[in-house]
Amino acid sequence: MANFTELANYIFPEINETIEDLEKKYPPRKLPEGAEVTRFAPSPTGFLHLGSLFTSLVAHKVAKDTKGVFYLRLEDTDTKREIEGSGEELVRQLSFFGVAPEEGYLGEKDVGEYGPYRQSEREHIYRVCIKELMLKGRAYPCFCSAEQLEETREIQEMNKEIPGYYGDYAICRNIDPNDALARIKNGEPYVIRFRSLGNHNNKVTFHDEIRGDISIAENDLDIVIMKSDGLPTYHFAHAVDDHFMRTTTVIRGEEWISSAPIHLELFDALGFKLPRYAHLPVIMKLDNGNKRKLSKRKDPEASVSHFIEGGYPAEALKAYLMSIANSNFEEWTAENKSYNIDEFKFSFSKMSLDGVLFDQDKLDFFSKEVIALFSAEELYKRCLEWSEKFDVKLNEFLKKYQQISVKALNIERGGEKARKDFSNYSQVYPIIGFFYPERYAEIVKDGYPFNPAIESSVVKKVLEDFAKSNDYSLANDVWFSTVKELGVRHGFAESGKIYKQSPDQYKGHVGDVAEMIRVALCGAKNSPNLYCVLQILGKEEVNRRINLAVTSLK
Ligand code: GLU
């Protein structure tokens, strides 16, 4: 007569180690009092979700603030959904945002003493734990087919009962070990389930760092802990890995709250101390007036690469996410203009409990603030890096006209009244592109947007006079008075106010004159500060452009 010991020895013949041995192999970390060990545990299924970056940012921050450890564990047990190379890409993207882990799966190799950090390489550890559970009668093989499980689900649905493998529905929970052994020997596929001792009518309470005490129905599901391919399920791997990697606070999305009772029972059955939990709010979106989760399929902003491609500085997205994380962050930035989140004191207690709405305007606001802090050289460097991949045209010009570019980016930069015109690097080319002669030629190819209310012959004369008389050595305010004088010479009022008093006496006012010059030089009615534009283009290029514009006028 076989018993569960024989069964366990048959299924796990190579396992001689015990949980006790693993405890010694992965001892508690030697860290200073209060240091937190946190982790990011992504599945390599394609791309870094905005919500995952949010989680990593918080986990990284908590570890850094407490001089602890932030590590990455690759949850790659779902081999069907795995996308090749996405693990490496995740690590690269985290580095881009300055929240790279210092331990764990780091792409090419693992770093750290608590590995392996890829779940697919931890089979041995899981097997040790499952064998021990089986020896204690807390795990058993289950041979139920997909059809059988589906049938159970239908019955439960019909009876309006909770779905799942529990109580009398847990067909294999009382399987005779002899029978099980014979079926395994016979090559029948099976999974291993956890034997729950819980009662759904009882409540368990656990503490959440953000939400306080949460009371929820006890687990009574005999969940699968090892799949038929020998790999563990999320629930089981979470308990084993977070314990043996010595995580102090599990920071993850709120969608896991409902599974917490399973985790509490697993930790207990395995004899592990429960880590602290912090379940973060989900990032949502308003869709036809309804709040819904950001969807991978429907929302480009669900993917972090959308913001990288869009040319948002890492600091801006981080600052934005921190404003979601802690309600007092925005207030803090009013006093701390650096927007450097490393200097901000994060706390779980200031975290919002509800799903937060993604707010593009707010991100743009933070981004403008952050970009306004860069020196022109820094912005040049960032644009160069970004455009290398995402804007070939800009990249070509930035390289060819480095000096002009830096000067153009420096217009009204720095100081109290710094211009906050760029919220991302993709806005740079449309704003400063006209500085580049090739781009200018393209813009004016089909004509100039001069004000049609002013006769071409007048425009022509004003521009010709300007080319001859403009003095590049003057300071901004003095220079502007020469523009007024230029206008007056040609019948324009020196201010809008004077013009309005007797419009019949004038052809227009100084604003119209400035607009002519702007249109001739930039090919557009809007441009950065005209005085700066003139200084940067220089006399020769200005006169060349004026000549071109004049020639275009009949
Ligand atoms: N692999 C899980 C996920 O991607 C991790 C959840 C957790 O952080 O524990 O959702």
Side-chain angles (χ1 to χ4, degrees), residues 39-43 52 55 73 75 119 234 238 242 250-253 255-256:
R39 82 316 188 255
F40 174 44
S43 303
S52 303
T55 309
R73 175 171 71 237
E75 307 220 318
Q119 288 184 330
Y234 167 76
H238 152 53
D242 280 313
V250 170
I251 299 172
R252 61 183 180 186
E255 66 272 22
W256 293 109

mmCIF file with all atom_site columns, all heavy atoms in Angstrom, residues 39-43 52 55 73 75 119 234 238 242 250-253 255-256, ligand 1:
data_model
loop_
_atom_site.group_PDB
_atom_site.id
_atom_site.type_symbol
_atom_site.label_atom_id
_atom_site.label_alt_id
_atom_site.label_comp_id
_atom_site.label_asym_id
_atom_site.label_entity_id
_atom_site.label_seq_id
_atom_site.pdbx_PDB_ins_code
_atom_site.Cartn_x
_atom_site.Cartn_y
_atom_site.Cartn_z
_atom_site.occupancy
_atom_site.B_iso_or_equiv
_atom_site.pdbx_formal_charge
_atom_site.auth_seq_id
_atom_site.auth_comp_id
_atom_site.auth_asym_id
_atom_site.auth_atom_id
_atom_site.pdbx_PDB_model_num
ATOM   1   N N   . ARG A 1 39  ? 10.925 44.443 -4.738  1.00 0.00 ? 39  ARG A N   1
ATOM   2   C CA  . ARG A 1 39  ? 11.244 43.845 -6.029  1.00 0.00 ? 39  ARG A CA  1
ATOM   3   C C   . ARG A 1 39  ? 10.241 44.253 -7.089  1.00 0.00 ? 39  ARG A C   1
ATOM   4   O O   . ARG A 1 39  ? 9.141  44.725 -6.802  1.00 0.00 ? 39  ARG A O   1
ATOM   5   C CB  . ARG A 1 39  ? 11.355 42.335 -5.900  1.00 0.00 ? 39  ARG A CB  1
ATOM   6   C CG  . ARG A 1 39  ? 10.114 41.477 -5.915  1.00 0.00 ? 39  ARG A CG  1
ATOM   7   C CD  . ARG A 1 39  ? 8.942  41.903 -5.132  1.00 0.00 ? 39  ARG A CD  1
ATOM   8   N NE  . ARG A 1 39  ? 7.902  40.924 -5.073  1.00 0.00 ? 39  ARG A NE  1
ATOM   9   C CZ  . ARG A 1 39  ? 6.741  40.970 -5.742  1.00 0.00 ? 39  ARG A CZ  1
ATOM   10  N NH1 . ARG A 1 39  ? 6.465  41.976 -6.523  1.00 0.00 ? 39  ARG A NH1 1
ATOM   11  N NH2 . ARG A 1 39  ? 5.841  40.021 -5.615  1.00 0.00 ? 39  ARG A NH2 1
ATOM   12  N N   . PHE A 1 40  ? 10.665 44.041 -8.341  1.00 0.00 ? 40  PHE A N   1
ATOM   13  C CA  . PHE A 1 40  ? 9.777  44.170 -9.475  1.00 0.00 ? 40  PHE A CA  1
ATOM   14  C C   . PHE A 1 40  ? 9.783  42.786 -10.105 1.00 0.00 ? 40  PHE A C   1
ATOM   15  O O   . PHE A 1 40  ? 10.845 42.199 -10.300 1.00 0.00 ? 40  PHE A O   1
ATOM   16  C CB  . PHE A 1 40  ? 10.323 45.238 -10.429 1.00 0.00 ? 40  PHE A CB  1
ATOM   17  C CG  . PHE A 1 40  ? 9.547  45.356 -11.720 1.00 0.00 ? 40  PHE A CG  1
ATOM   18  C CD1 . PHE A 1 40  ? 8.164  45.359 -11.719 1.00 0.00 ? 40  PHE A CD1 1
ATOM   19  C CD2 . PHE A 1 40  ? 10.217 45.491 -12.928 1.00 0.00 ? 40  PHE A CD2 1
ATOM   20  C CE1 . PHE A 1 40  ? 7.456  45.476 -12.909 1.00 0.00 ? 40  PHE A CE1 1
ATOM   21  C CE2 . PHE A 1 40  ? 9.515  45.613 -14.116 1.00 0.00 ? 40  PHE A CE2 1
ATOM   22  C CZ  . PHE A 1 40  ? 8.127  45.602 -14.108 1.00 0.00 ? 40  PHE A CZ  1
ATOM   23  N N   . ALA A 1 41  ? 8.581  42.270 -10.375 1.00 0.00 ? 41  ALA A N   1
ATOM   24  C CA  . ALA A 1 41  ? 8.494  40.873 -10.816 1.00 0.00 ? 41  ALA A CA  1
ATOM   25  C C   . ALA A 1 41  ? 7.706  40.748 -12.114 1.00 0.00 ? 41  ALA A C   1
ATOM   26  O O   . ALA A 1 41  ? 6.604  40.220 -12.129 1.00 0.00 ? 41  ALA A O   1
ATOM   27  C CB  . ALA A 1 41  ? 7.850  40.040 -9.708  1.00 0.00 ? 41  ALA A CB  1
ATOM   28  N N   . PRO A 1 42  ? 8.269  41.254 -13.198 1.00 0.00 ? 42  PRO A N   1
ATOM   29  C CA  . PRO A 1 42  ? 7.500  41.252 -14.450 1.00 0.00 ? 42  PRO A CA  1
ATOM   30  C C   . PRO A 1 42  ? 7.519  39.903 -15.168 1.00 0.00 ? 42  PRO A C   1
ATOM   31  O O   . PRO A 1 42  ? 8.421  39.099 -14.975 1.00 0.00 ? 42  PRO A O   1
ATOM   32  C CB  . PRO A 1 42  ? 8.267  42.272 -15.306 1.00 0.00 ? 42  PRO A CB  1
ATOM   33  C CG  . PRO A 1 42  ? 9.680  42.123 -14.840 1.00 0.00 ? 42  PRO A CG  1
ATOM   34  C CD  . PRO A 1 42  ? 9.615  41.806 -13.370 1.00 0.00 ? 42  PRO A CD  1
ATOM   35  N N   . SER A 1 43  ? 6.494  39.725 -15.976 1.00 0.00 ? 43  SER A N   1
ATOM   36  C CA  . SER A 1 43  ? 6.499  38.578 -16.880 1.00 0.00 ? 43  SER A CA  1
ATOM   37  C C   . SER A 1 43  ? 7.007  39.098 -18.223 1.00 0.00 ? 43  SER A C   1
ATOM   38  O O   . SER A 1 43  ? 6.595  40.168 -18.655 1.00 0.00 ? 43  SER A O   1
ATOM   39  C CB  . SER A 1 43  ? 5.086  38.046 -17.065 1.00 0.00 ? 43  SER A CB  1
ATOM   40  O OG  . SER A 1 43  ? 4.570  37.709 -15.811 1.00 0.00 ? 43  SER A OG  1
ATOM   41  N N   . SER A 1 52  ? 3.390  49.063 -14.552 1.00 0.00 ? 52  SER A N   1
ATOM   42  C CA  . SER A 1 52  ? 4.572  48.348 -14.049 1.00 0.00 ? 52  SER A CA  1
ATOM   43  C C   . SER A 1 52  ? 5.694  49.331 -13.743 1.00 0.00 ? 52  SER A C   1
ATOM   44  O O   . SER A 1 52  ? 6.445  49.157 -12.778 1.00 0.00 ? 52  SER A O   1
ATOM   45  C CB  . SER A 1 52  ? 5.080  47.348 -15.069 1.00 0.00 ? 52  SER A CB  1
ATOM   46  O OG  . SER A 1 52  ? 4.075  46.455 -15.408 1.00 0.00 ? 52  SER A OG  1
ATOM   47  N N   . THR A 1 55  ? 4.862  50.749 -10.442 1.00 0.00 ? 55  THR A N   1
ATOM   48  C CA  . THR A 1 55  ? 5.224  49.821 -9.366  1.00 0.00 ? 55  THR A CA  1
ATOM   49  C C   . THR A 1 55  ? 6.732  49.831 -9.123  1.00 0.00 ? 55  THR A C   1
ATOM   50  O O   . THR A 1 55  ? 7.189  49.910 -7.981  1.00 0.00 ? 55  THR A O   1
ATOM   51  C CB  . THR A 1 55  ? 4.799  48.375 -9.745  1.00 0.00 ? 55  THR A CB  1
ATOM   52  O OG1 . THR A 1 55  ? 3.435  48.403 -10.131 1.00 0.00 ? 55  THR A OG1 1
ATOM   53  C CG2 . THR A 1 55  ? 4.982  47.425 -8.601  1.00 0.00 ? 55  THR A CG2 1
ATOM   54  N N   . ARG A 1 73  ? 12.956 40.101 -10.453 1.00 0.00 ? 73  ARG A N   1
ATOM   55  C CA  . ARG A 1 73  ? 12.758 38.663 -10.655 1.00 0.00 ? 73  ARG A CA  1
ATOM   56  C C   . ARG A 1 73  ? 11.923 38.488 -11.916 1.00 0.00 ? 73  ARG A C   1
ATOM   57  O O   . ARG A 1 73  ? 10.871 39.115 -12.061 1.00 0.00 ? 73  ARG A O   1
ATOM   58  C CB  . ARG A 1 73  ? 12.017 38.091 -9.447  1.00 0.00 ? 73  ARG A CB  1
ATOM   59  C CG  . ARG A 1 73  ? 11.668 36.630 -9.607  1.00 0.00 ? 73  ARG A CG  1
ATOM   60  C CD  . ARG A 1 73  ? 11.130 36.041 -8.332  1.00 0.00 ? 73  ARG A CD  1
ATOM   61  N NE  . ARG A 1 73  ? 9.800  36.512 -7.995  1.00 0.00 ? 73  ARG A NE  1
ATOM   62  C CZ  . ARG A 1 73  ? 9.469  37.105 -6.855  1.00 0.00 ? 73  ARG A CZ  1
ATOM   63  N NH1 . ARG A 1 73  ? 10.374 37.325 -5.919  1.00 0.00 ? 73  ARG A NH1 1
ATOM   64  N NH2 . ARG A 1 73  ? 8.223  37.482 -6.626  1.00 0.00 ? 73  ARG A NH2 1
ATOM   65  N N   . GLU A 1 75  ? 9.429  36.643 -14.019 1.00 0.00 ? 75  GLU A N   1
ATOM   66  C CA  . GLU A 1 75  ? 8.390  35.626 -13.818 1.00 0.00 ? 75  GLU A CA  1
ATOM   67  C C   . GLU A 1 75  ? 8.035  35.001 -15.166 1.00 0.00 ? 75  GLU A C   1
ATOM   68  O O   . GLU A 1 75  ? 7.048  35.355 -15.798 1.00 0.00 ? 75  GLU A O   1
ATOM   69  C CB  . GLU A 1 75  ? 7.200  36.248 -13.107 1.00 0.00 ? 75  GLU A CB  1
ATOM   70  C CG  . GLU A 1 75  ? 7.652  36.957 -11.825 1.00 0.00 ? 75  GLU A CG  1
ATOM   71  C CD  . GLU A 1 75  ? 6.737  36.798 -10.633 1.00 0.00 ? 75  GLU A CD  1
ATOM   72  O OE1 . GLU A 1 75  ? 5.527  36.884 -10.816 1.00 0.00 ? 75  GLU A OE1 1
ATOM   73  O OE2 . GLU A 1 75  ? 7.250  36.590 -9.521  1.00 0.00 ? 75  GLU A OE2 1
ATOM   74  N N   . GLN A 1 119 ? 12.362 32.548 -12.860 1.00 0.00 ? 119 GLN A N   1
ATOM   75  C CA  . GLN A 1 119 ? 11.602 31.455 -12.252 1.00 0.00 ? 119 GLN A CA  1
ATOM   76  C C   . GLN A 1 119 ? 11.806 30.144 -13.000 1.00 0.00 ? 119 GLN A C   1
ATOM   77  O O   . GLN A 1 119 ? 11.804 29.082 -12.397 1.00 0.00 ? 119 GLN A O   1
ATOM   78  C CB  . GLN A 1 119 ? 10.115 31.825 -12.202 1.00 0.00 ? 119 GLN A CB  1
ATOM   79  C CG  . GLN A 1 119 ? 9.866  32.892 -11.142 1.00 0.00 ? 119 GLN A CG  1
ATOM   80  C CD  . GLN A 1 119 ? 8.412  33.236 -10.983 1.00 0.00 ? 119 GLN A CD  1
ATOM   81  O OE1 . GLN A 1 119 ? 7.641  33.140 -11.934 1.00 0.00 ? 119 GLN A OE1 1
ATOM   82  N NE2 . GLN A 1 119 ? 8.028  33.676 -9.798  1.00 0.00 ? 119 GLN A NE2 1
ATOM   83  N N   . TYR A 1 234 ? 1.767  31.363 -10.381 1.00 0.00 ? 234 TYR A N   1
ATOM   84  C CA  . TYR A 1 234 ? 2.155  32.635 -9.757  1.00 0.00 ? 234 TYR A CA  1
ATOM   85  C C   . TYR A 1 234 ? 2.066  32.568 -8.234  1.00 0.00 ? 234 TYR A C   1
ATOM   86  O O   . TYR A 1 234 ? 3.008  32.937 -7.530  1.00 0.00 ? 234 TYR A O   1
ATOM   87  C CB  . TYR A 1 234 ? 1.276  33.794 -10.269 1.00 0.00 ? 234 TYR A CB  1
ATOM   88  C CG  . TYR A 1 234 ? 1.452  35.028 -9.415  1.00 0.00 ? 234 TYR A CG  1
ATOM   89  C CD1 . TYR A 1 234 ? 2.592  35.826 -9.534  1.00 0.00 ? 234 TYR A CD1 1
ATOM   90  C CD2 . TYR A 1 234 ? 0.528  35.363 -8.420  1.00 0.00 ? 234 TYR A CD2 1
ATOM   91  C CE1 . TYR A 1 234 ? 2.793  36.924 -8.717  1.00 0.00 ? 234 TYR A CE1 1
ATOM   92  C CE2 . TYR A 1 234 ? 0.730  36.455 -7.593  1.00 0.00 ? 234 TYR A CE2 1
ATOM   93  C CZ  . TYR A 1 234 ? 1.855  37.240 -7.735  1.00 0.00 ? 234 TYR A CZ  1
ATOM   94  O OH  . TYR A 1 234 ? 2.060  38.304 -6.913  1.00 0.00 ? 234 TYR A OH  1
ATOM   95  N N   . HIS A 1 238 ? 5.194  33.071 -5.897  1.00 0.00 ? 238 HIS A N   1
ATOM   96  C CA  . HIS A 1 238 ? 5.248  34.310 -5.107  1.00 0.00 ? 238 HIS A CA  1
ATOM   97  C C   . HIS A 1 238 ? 5.672  33.993 -3.671  1.00 0.00 ? 238 HIS A C   1
ATOM   98  O O   . HIS A 1 238 ? 6.592  34.615 -3.125  1.00 0.00 ? 238 HIS A O   1
ATOM   99  C CB  . HIS A 1 238 ? 3.878  35.015 -5.146  1.00 0.00 ? 238 HIS A CB  1
ATOM   100 C CG  . HIS A 1 238 ? 3.577  35.858 -3.958  1.00 0.00 ? 238 HIS A CG  1
ATOM   101 N ND1 . HIS A 1 238 ? 4.443  36.843 -3.508  1.00 0.00 ? 238 HIS A ND1 1
ATOM   102 C CD2 . HIS A 1 238 ? 2.512  35.885 -3.110  1.00 0.00 ? 238 HIS A CD2 1
ATOM   103 C CE1 . HIS A 1 238 ? 3.919  37.416 -2.429  1.00 0.00 ? 238 HIS A CE1 1
ATOM   104 N NE2 . HIS A 1 238 ? 2.758  36.844 -2.168  1.00 0.00 ? 238 HIS A NE2 1
ATOM   105 N N   . ASP A 1 242 ? 9.424  35.173 -2.845  1.00 0.00 ? 242 ASP A N   1
ATOM   106 C CA  . ASP A 1 242 ? 9.540  36.351 -1.984  1.00 0.00 ? 242 ASP A CA  1
ATOM   107 C C   . ASP A 1 242 ? 10.094 35.970 -0.615  1.00 0.00 ? 242 ASP A C   1
ATOM   108 O O   . ASP A 1 242 ? 10.769 36.765 0.030   1.00 0.00 ? 242 ASP A O   1
ATOM   109 C CB  . ASP A 1 242 ? 8.204  37.109 -1.899  1.00 0.00 ? 242 ASP A CB  1
ATOM   110 C CG  . ASP A 1 242 ? 8.019  37.985 -3.131  1.00 0.00 ? 242 ASP A CG  1
ATOM   111 O OD1 . ASP A 1 242 ? 8.977  38.693 -3.489  1.00 0.00 ? 242 ASP A OD1 1
ATOM   112 O OD2 . ASP A 1 242 ? 6.954  37.936 -3.774  1.00 0.00 ? 242 ASP A OD2 1
ATOM   113 N N   . VAL A 1 250 ? 6.181  43.424 -0.259  1.00 0.00 ? 250 VAL A N   1
ATOM   114 C CA  . VAL A 1 250 ? 5.743  43.068 -1.611  1.00 0.00 ? 250 VAL A CA  1
ATOM   115 C C   . VAL A 1 250 ? 4.890  44.235 -2.120  1.00 0.00 ? 250 VAL A C   1
ATOM   116 O O   . VAL A 1 250 ? 3.831  44.530 -1.576  1.00 0.00 ? 250 VAL A O   1
ATOM   117 C CB  . VAL A 1 250 ? 4.915  41.769 -1.581  1.00 0.00 ? 250 VAL A CB  1
ATOM   118 C CG1 . VAL A 1 250 ? 4.237  41.522 -2.925  1.00 0.00 ? 250 VAL A CG1 1
ATOM   119 C CG2 . VAL A 1 250 ? 5.804  40.588 -1.210  1.00 0.00 ? 250 VAL A CG2 1
ATOM   120 N N   . ILE A 1 251 ? 5.414  44.910 -3.147  1.00 0.00 ? 251 ILE A N   1
ATOM   121 C CA  . ILE A 1 251 ? 4.699  46.049 -3.716  1.00 0.00 ? 251 ILE A CA  1
ATOM   122 C C   . ILE A 1 251 ? 4.175  45.608 -5.072  1.00 0.00 ? 251 ILE A C   1
ATOM   123 O O   . ILE A 1 251 ? 4.957  45.259 -5.959  1.00 0.00 ? 251 ILE A O   1
ATOM   124 C CB  . ILE A 1 251 ? 5.648  47.264 -3.839  1.00 0.00 ? 251 ILE A CB  1
ATOM   125 C CG1 . ILE A 1 251 ? 6.150  47.647 -2.447  1.00 0.00 ? 251 ILE A CG1 1
ATOM   126 C CG2 . ILE A 1 251 ? 4.942  48.446 -4.508  1.00 0.00 ? 251 ILE A CG2 1
ATOM   127 C CD1 . ILE A 1 251 ? 7.236  48.701 -2.429  1.00 0.00 ? 251 ILE A CD1 1
ATOM   128 N N   . ARG A 1 252 ? 2.878  45.585 -5.223  1.00 0.00 ? 252 ARG A N   1
ATOM   129 C CA  . ARG A 1 252 ? 2.305  45.085 -6.481  1.00 0.00 ? 252 ARG A CA  1
ATOM   130 C C   . ARG A 1 252 ? 0.942  45.736 -6.697  1.00 0.00 ? 252 ARG A C   1
ATOM   131 O O   . ARG A 1 252 ? 0.450  46.455 -5.835  1.00 0.00 ? 252 ARG A O   1
ATOM   132 C CB  . ARG A 1 252 ? 2.190  43.553 -6.424  1.00 0.00 ? 252 ARG A CB  1
ATOM   133 C CG  . ARG A 1 252 ? 1.289  43.065 -5.325  1.00 0.00 ? 252 ARG A CG  1
ATOM   134 C CD  . ARG A 1 252 ? 1.260  41.530 -5.238  1.00 0.00 ? 252 ARG A CD  1
ATOM   135 N NE  . ARG A 1 252 ? 0.376  41.124 -4.156  1.00 0.00 ? 252 ARG A NE  1
ATOM   136 C CZ  . ARG A 1 252 ? 0.215  39.875 -3.753  1.00 0.00 ? 252 ARG A CZ  1
ATOM   137 N NH1 . ARG A 1 252 ? 0.872  38.908 -4.323  1.00 0.00 ? 252 ARG A NH1 1
ATOM   138 N NH2 . ARG A 1 252 ? -0.611 39.583 -2.771  1.00 0.00 ? 252 ARG A NH2 1
ATOM   139 N N   . GLY A 1 253 ? 0.351  45.481 -7.856  1.00 0.00 ? 253 GLY A N   1
ATOM   140 C CA  . GLY A 1 253 ? -0.917 46.116 -8.216  1.00 0.00 ? 253 GLY A CA  1
ATOM   141 C C   . GLY A 1 253 ? -2.081 45.631 -7.360  1.00 0.00 ? 253 GLY A C   1
ATOM   142 O O   . GLY A 1 253 ? -2.066 44.506 -6.846  1.00 0.00 ? 253 GLY A O   1
ATOM   143 N N   . GLU A 1 255 ? -4.797 44.574 -8.137  1.00 0.00 ? 255 GLU A N   1
ATOM   144 C CA  . GLU A 1 255 ? -5.552 43.431 -8.657  1.00 0.00 ? 255 GLU A CA  1
ATOM   145 C C   . GLU A 1 255 ? -5.197 42.141 -7.904  1.00 0.00 ? 255 GLU A C   1
ATOM   146 O O   . GLU A 1 255 ? -5.893 41.140 -8.028  1.00 0.00 ? 255 GLU A O   1
ATOM   147 C CB  . GLU A 1 255 ? -5.315 43.260 -10.174 1.00 0.00 ? 255 GLU A CB  1
ATOM   148 C CG  . GLU A 1 255 ? -3.922 42.878 -10.614 1.00 0.00 ? 255 GLU A CG  1
ATOM   149 C CD  . GLU A 1 255 ? -3.007 44.078 -10.843 1.00 0.00 ? 255 GLU A CD  1
ATOM   150 O OE1 . GLU A 1 255 ? -3.287 45.154 -10.294 1.00 0.00 ? 255 GLU A OE1 1
ATOM   151 O OE2 . GLU A 1 255 ? -1.989 43.928 -11.556 1.00 0.00 ? 255 GLU A OE2 1
ATOM   152 N N   . TRP A 1 256 ? -4.133 42.181 -7.111  1.00 0.00 ? 256 TRP A N   1
ATOM   153 C CA  . TRP A 1 256 ? -3.737 40.979 -6.369  1.00 0.00 ? 256 TRP A CA  1
ATOM   154 C C   . TRP A 1 256 ? -4.376 40.878 -4.996  1.00 0.00 ? 256 TRP A C   1
ATOM   155 O O   . TRP A 1 256 ? -4.218 39.869 -4.307  1.00 0.00 ? 256 TRP A O   1
ATOM   156 C CB  . TRP A 1 256 ? -2.199 40.919 -6.235  1.00 0.00 ? 256 TRP A CB  1
ATOM   157 C CG  . TRP A 1 256 ? -1.534 40.717 -7.559  1.00 0.00 ? 256 TRP A CG  1
ATOM   158 C CD1 . TRP A 1 256 ? -0.799 41.651 -8.243  1.00 0.00 ? 256 TRP A CD1 1
ATOM   159 C CD2 . TRP A 1 256 ? -1.570 39.549 -8.385  1.00 0.00 ? 256 TRP A CD2 1
ATOM   160 N NE1 . TRP A 1 256 ? -0.378 41.135 -9.443  1.00 0.00 ? 256 TRP A NE1 1
ATOM   161 C CE2 . TRP A 1 256 ? -0.838 39.843 -9.559  1.00 0.00 ? 256 TRP A CE2 1
ATOM   162 C CE3 . TRP A 1 256 ? -2.151 38.288 -8.258  1.00 0.00 ? 256 TRP A CE3 1
ATOM   163 C CZ2 . TRP A 1 256 ? -0.666 38.921 -10.584 1.00 0.00 ? 256 TRP A CZ2 1
ATOM   164 C CZ3 . TRP A 1 256 ? -1.981 37.365 -9.280  1.00 0.00 ? 256 TRP A CZ3 1
ATOM   165 C CH2 . TRP A 1 256 ? -1.246 37.692 -10.432 1.00 0.00 ? 256 TRP A CH2 1
HETATM 166 N N1  . GLU B 2 .   ? 4.337  38.579 -12.549 1.00 0.00 ? 1   GLU B N1  1
HETATM 167 C C1  . GLU B 2 .   ? 3.303  39.271 -11.851 1.00 0.00 ? 1   GLU B C1  1
HETATM 168 C C2  . GLU B 2 .   ? 2.718  40.312 -12.772 1.00 0.00 ? 1   GLU B C2  1
HETATM 169 O O1  . GLU B 2 .   ? 3.362  40.646 -13.757 1.00 0.00 ? 1   GLU B O1  1
HETATM 170 C C3  . GLU B 2 .   ? 3.908  39.927 -10.634 1.00 0.00 ? 1   GLU B C3  1
HETATM 171 C C4  . GLU B 2 .   ? 2.970  40.441 -9.620  1.00 0.00 ? 1   GLU B C4  1
HETATM 172 C C5  . GLU B 2 .   ? 3.777  40.758 -8.367  1.00 0.00 ? 1   GLU B C5  1
HETATM 173 O O2  . GLU B 2 .   ? 4.429  41.798 -8.352  1.00 0.00 ? 1   GLU B O2  1
HETATM 174 O O3  . GLU B 2 .   ? 3.786  39.959 -7.441  1.00 0.00 ? 1   GLU B O3  1
HETATM 175 O O4  . GLU B 2 .   ? 1.623  40.774 -12.572 1.00 0.00 ? 1   GLU B O4  1
#
